Amino acid sequence: MKPNQLEERLIQFAVEVILLCKSLDKSFAAEHLTKQLIRSSTSVALNYGEERSGESTKDFLHKMRISLKELRESYVNMKIQKGAKLLLN
């Protein structure tokens, strides 16, 4: 996959999470998890843009690991919300 293609997929992921979050209820738990989900999912796309201009291979890999952590956080967040029936899908 080309870097531009990955960046577009990460942006689309962030957009889809934002759209999904608009449909969630306004309970304390949903709002708490939703805010964190938006932060973690959007940071992946934002960080990837920065990673592409890494100063060295080591710097690039470090920043990619941070993005991977954010993706994992987003995934676990969605699993929690699904388990708590905050997400319908």
Side-chain angles (χ1 to χ4, degrees):
M1 178 179 302
K2 294 180 181 177
N4 287 344
Q5 291 172 312
L6 179 55
E7 184 173 66
E8 286 303 315
R9 288 183 70 178
L10 294 172
I11 290 169
Q12 188 58 41
F13 172 67
V15 168
E16 289 178 19
V17 166
I18 291 168
L19 294 174
L20 170 72
C21 290
K22 286 182 175 183
S23 68
L24 299 176
D25 67 47
K26 301 297 180 201
S27 69
F28 176 80
E31 283 196 8
H32 173 75
L33 289 167
T34 297
K35 289 176 184 177
Q36 185 58 40
L37 178 58
I38 290 172
R39 282 191 294 273
S40 62
S41 64
T42 57
S43 81
V44 177
L46 297 169
N47 285 333
Y48 184 72
E50 183 181 338
E51 291 158 12
R52 290 181 63 190
S53 61
E55 296 174 10
S56 66
T57 301
K58 186 176 178 180
D59 184 42
F60 174 80
L61 291 174
H62 172 72
K63 290 175 181 174
M64 286 295 285
R65 285 185 194 103
I66 292 170
S67 287
L68 182 57
K69 286 181 181 183
E70 296 290 344
L71 281 171
R72 286 184 181 136
E73 180 179 326
S74 298
Y75 177 70
V76 171
N77 185 314
M78 288 186 276
K79 285 179 70 171
I80 292 168
Q81 290 197 52
K82 185 175 181 180
K85 308 261 189 277
L86 300 174
L87 291 177
L88 302 176
N89 293 325

